[in-house]
Amino acid sequence: MMRLPKFEYRAPRTIAEAVKIIADAGPEGQFVAGGTDLYPNMKRRQQTPRTVISVMRLPELNQVTGDGSQGLVIGSSMTLTDICEHPIIKRDYPVIASAARTISTPILRNMGTIGGNLLLDTRCNYYDQNYEWRKGINFCLKKDGDVCWVAPGSSKCWAVQSSDLVPVMVAIGAKFRLVSTLGERVVDAAGFYNDDGIDYLKKRHDELLVDIHLPATNGWRASYQKLRRRGAFDFPVLGVAAYVRYQSTVRGALAHGRATAPSGGDSCVRTGRSSDRIIADAKIILGGIAPSPIEVNEAAQALIGQPLNEDQIQAAAEAAYVKARPLDNTDFVMNWRKQMARQYTIRALKELVAK
Ligand SMILES: Cc1cc2nc3c(=O)[nH]c(=O)nc-3n(C[C@H](O)[C@H](O)[C@H](O)COP(=O)(O)OP(=O)(O)OC[C@H]3O[C@@H](n4cnc5c(N)ncnc54)[C@H](O)[C@@H]3O)c2cc1C
Ligand code: SF4
């Protein structure tokens, strides 16, 4: 049986207290939320903080405010079950609720939080093993060793960003609010993840993720498709988030009397069919295949200025296939995972046609 190493446990009640404790603890301090990622890592001696600071009793981190018309703010300690079941998230941001529902199992979703999911450690078959196993291969670059077993000539770690919510947050343009004793900053999800399996976040270790800011839902749609071996429990070994925002006019629709004129602003003509509406902006984000989420700009270019029809979907899927370069460090053969990038992009975009 794997045991946790000894550590001091703190449970502050205010943000000011929490950031003071971690600042005082220095590199030996670490925040914990549900602990579903951190505690297994500690048992495997991948992370061994001396001071573990719970974020679960901080009221600001346990609330949801706003809605789709003004934008939503989600506290980082909301559990994944809360996210799946929250009426406003289900109604206005169904892609967040459905992506959260694909994460691990109901019991882990009761413990695991949205914040912990967005800050998840990167994963690799050579790293997510117990201490003795890792010692048996003389460890690896990511922890205690000096070689990468996936790419032995590489000076970089290729461990994989394996969160289901990260590609969705990047696709929809979410922002994260971070607080430390030095102050507060708000960062784009899109620039937050480094293409480096060891230094995978643009976040200082003393910064507390307080909340996640979702943009208002004016005219955009998003979907998420996840590849894994089992229909529950397993991490994604490929995740595709698709996002489209439509122009406020519909090609041919007004002429054919199918739609009413837009009331203004950015809103789309909701009575038009997806296949008639012209895409003003699009994003395809691939997760689960690299140290950071991958934005496929060529897929976006294939979609923007066009209706979401079969030809555009095929072109975007081809671009995703070309850009996807999974390595041999998770489940499934890497060439097959690459091919699945095409299929899962088609599925994600077809889901948007149906919306
Ligand atoms: C069997 C199993 C299956 C899983 N399957 C999936 C899956 O399919 N998809 C998936 O995405 N994940 C999966 N996970 C990973 C994990 O359960 C979830 O990602 C979960 O949401 C992590 O949240 P947590 O609150 O437990 O994080 P913790 O373990 O508490 O924290 C994770 C990291 O975030 C940091 N942290 C947490 N909160 C804050 C904060 N507010 N500010 C600063 N730092 C913070 C911690 O220091 C730690 O580094 C799985 C885990 C297990 C054990
Ligand atoms: S990618 Fe290489 S360095 Fe990184 S965890 Fe895997 S084996 Fe270790």
Side-chain angles (χ1 to χ4, degrees):
M1 188 172 92
M2 290 193 291
R3 290 182 189 282
L4 283 168
K6 283 198 163 49
F7 61 92
E8 182 191 6
Y9 181 78
R10 306 286 299 272
R13 304 271 179 172
T14 66
I15 291 178
E17 195 190 345
V19 296
K20 169 89 169 55
I21 295 171
I22 201 155
D24 290 346
E28 298 287 350
Q30 192 159 355
F31 290 121
V32 69
T36 61
D37 188 49
L38 180 64
Y39 290 142
N41 283 0
M42 288 174 68
K43 288 182 176 180
R44 294 188 290 247
R45 304 304 190 260
Q46 292 155 329
Q47 290 164 346
T48 50
R50 295 254 178 84
T51 306
V52 173
I53 305 137
S54 172
V55 298
M56 296 307 279
R57 293 186 192 173
L58 306 174
E60 296 92 333
L61 278 63
N62 280 294
Q63 60 190 18
V64 174
T65 53
D67 60 22
S69 65
Q70 51 185 305
L72 197 73
V73 179
I74 305 177
S76 68
S77 292
M78 296 293 290
T79 68
L80 296 169
T81 300
D82 292 336
I83 302 296
C84 298
E85 292 176 359
H86 196 280
I88 294 175
I89 297 177
K90 275 165 61 179
R91 186 193 67 197
D92 294 350
Y93 299 88
V95 64
I96 304 281
S98 64
R101 206 169 294 120
T102 69
I103 296 172
S104 54
T105 65
I107 292 170
L108 283 159
R109 290 197 293 273
N110 289 343
M111 296 287 297
T113 63
I114 185 169
N117 184 260
L118 298 173
L119 303 175
L120 198 63
D121 192 7
T122 52
R123 296 182 62 80
C124 170
N125 286 343
Y126 295 89
Y127 172 72
D128 292 297
Q129 305 289 347
N130 66 35
Y131 182 84
E132 285 70 29
W133 192 102
R134 292 188 295 116
K135 190 177 176 192
I137 59 163
N138 211 12
F139 302 104
C140 77
L141 266 186
K142 184 161 161 71
K143 177 71 179 154
D144 299 329
D146 53 15
V147 68
C148 170
W149 297 110
V150 173
S154 170
S155 57
K156 171 180 155 181
C157 166
W158 297 88
V160 175
Q161 214 300 318
S162 303
S163 151
D164 284 300
L165 286 172
V166 165
V168 177
M169 293 294 172
V170 173
I172 70 173
K175 293 176 188 293
F176 303 152
R177 184 161 69 103
L178 303 164
V179 172
S180 72
T181 51
L182 302 178
E184 172 179 318
R185 64 188 181 115
V186 176
V187 297
D188 287 328
F192 189 63
Y193 299 93
N194 289 328
D195 188 26
D196 179 334
I198 296 172
D199 182 18
Y200 48 89
L201 298 175
K202 285 196 179 62
K203 170 182 137 11
R204 289 197 322 274
H205 108 283
D206 63 332
E207 287 182 303
L208 174 72
L209 173 61
V210 174
D211 42 35
I212 297 109
H213 296 236
L214 308 184
T217 56
N218 50 349
W220 59 264
R221 308 275 184 281
S223 63
Y224 177 68
Q225 291 286 327
K226 169 177 182 171
L227 173 67
R228 57 178 159 180
R229 187 174 291 269
R230 297 171 288 186
F233 216 101
D234 286 339
F235 283 87
V237 291
L238 168 72
V240 180
Y243 160 100
V244 296
R245 182 171 57 79
Y246 293 105
Q247 286 179 4
S248 54
T249 51
V250 176
R251 183 170 16 193
L254 290 171
H256 291 91
R258 279 201 302 272
T260 52
S263 54
D266 239 358
S267 62
C268 67
V269 182
R270 289 177 191 270
T271 48
R273 294 179 310 183
S274 306
S275 55
D276 290 327
R277 293 184 234 149
I278 303 301
I279 296 171
D281 192 15
K283 282 183 219 149
I284 297 291
I285 310 292
L286 306 179
I289 55 169
S292 62
I294 295 172
E295 181 161 359
V296 188
N297 294 322
E298 299 78 3
Q301 292 317 314
L303 297 169
I304 292 170
Q306 305 290 332
L308 190 54
N309 63 22
E310 190 65 32
D311 288 349
Q312 269 59 52
I313 290 174
Q314 291 296 337
E318 201 55 33
Y321 166 76
V322 170
K323 193 82 175 263
R325 293 203 181 85
L327 288 173
D328 194 11
N329 57 352
T330 66
D331 196 8
F332 291 133
V333 177
M334 58 184 183
N335 288 341
W336 186 74
R337 280 163 68 214
K338 179 174 172 66
Q339 288 176 35
M340 286 302 104
R342 185 191 280 126
Q343 297 308 323
Y344 277 61
T345 303
I346 291 172
R347 286 188 195 181
L349 286 170
K350 287 203 166 163
E351 197 183 315
L352 294 182
V353 174
K355 283 187 177 182

